Amino acid sequence: IEEFERKQKLLKKALRKQINYNYHEADVSVIEGVFARGDRALGAAIETAWRSGCRMDAWKEHFSYKAWIKALEENNLSIDRYVKARDTVSPLPWGHIDCGVDTAYLVQEFQNAVIAQATPDCRSACSACGASTLLEGGVCNA
């Protein structure tokens, strides 16, 4: 949470006053990060949170960070399990879902992001992500 808050303050300070900067509270962002990187084990914690009254959590006045932490703990899970840095060798929790994009491509995109290297827009050049297999004829339209 402290790291989210530090980065939010940096962004707010760095942005010009003409830019409207909206963001979630840091505790909400942490739980969103858990969901975004969650695996099957997280299902039980979500049910526990729901049974304890977590509803409409996107509304700040209904969100309870403590309830989510308690639900994770009751299911022997921790935030660190989900938001820590991951290696690029271990299987991803959602890796069993075929979305058409190759895992090797995602790893390369991660490495490009780390060095701030942009990937060309697919409309100008195919970057061989693998999604073209989902297209009619299996060919990129770039």
Side-chain angles (χ1 to χ4, degrees), residues 31 91 123 142:
I31 298 301
R123 293 172 290 188

Side-chain angles (χ1 to χ4, degrees), residues 11-75:
L11 281 171
K12 193 171 186 176
K13 185 177 179 182
L15 294 173
R16 298 183 314 246
K17 294 195 186 281
Q18 297 91 344
I19 296 174
N20 185 16
Y21 171 55
N22 294 319
Y23 57 92
H24 289 129
E25 296 299 320
D27 55 356
V28 175
S29 294
V30 168
I31 298 301
E32 287 175 341
V34 169
F35 290 155
R37 304 180 88 195
D39 55 14
R40 290 180 174 114
L42 191 56
I46 292 171
E47 182 177 3
T48 300
W50 175 77
R51 290 191 186 282
S52 72
C54 290
R55 308 279 193 289
M56 297 187 287
D57 289 293
W59 296 357
K60 184 177 177 179
E61 63 270 19
H62 295 283
F63 178 77
S64 171
Y65 183 74
K66 288 180 182 179
W68 282 103
I69 296 302
K70 184 177 179 195
L72 289 169
E73 289 172 351
E74 287 179 15
N75 288 278

Side-chain angles (χ1 to χ4, degrees), residues 26-140:
D27 55 356
V28 175
S29 294
V30 168
I31 298 301
E32 287 175 341
V34 169
F35 290 155
R37 304 180 88 195
D39 55 14
R40 290 180 174 114
L42 191 56
I46 292 171
E47 182 177 3
T48 300
W50 175 77
R51 290 191 186 282
S52 72
C54 290
R55 308 279 193 289
M56 297 187 287
D57 289 293
W59 296 357
K60 184 177 177 179
E61 63 270 19
H62 295 283
F63 178 77
S64 171
Y65 183 74
K66 288 180 182 179
W68 282 103
I69 296 302
K70 184 177 179 195
L72 289 169
E73 289 172 351
E74 287 179 15
N75 288 278
N76 299 314
L77 300 173
S78 70
I79 287 174
D80 290 342
R81 172 181 173 156
Y82 296 103
V83 298
K84 68 181 180 184
R86 294 186 182 208
D87 62 52
T88 57
V89 179
S90 299
L92 297 171
W94 54 89
H96 64 284
I97 300 171
D98 182 9
C99 67
V101 178
D102 298 325
T103 300
Y105 176 80
L106 295 175
V107 169
Q108 182 60 52
E109 281 299 287
F110 170 73
Q111 292 166 344
N112 288 346
V114 169
I115 61 171
Q117 180 178 332
T119 300
D121 187 313
C122 290
R123 293 172 290 188
S124 62
C126 180
S127 53
C129 69
S132 64
T133 60
L134 302 176
L135 300 172
E136 191 172 319
V139 178
C140 220

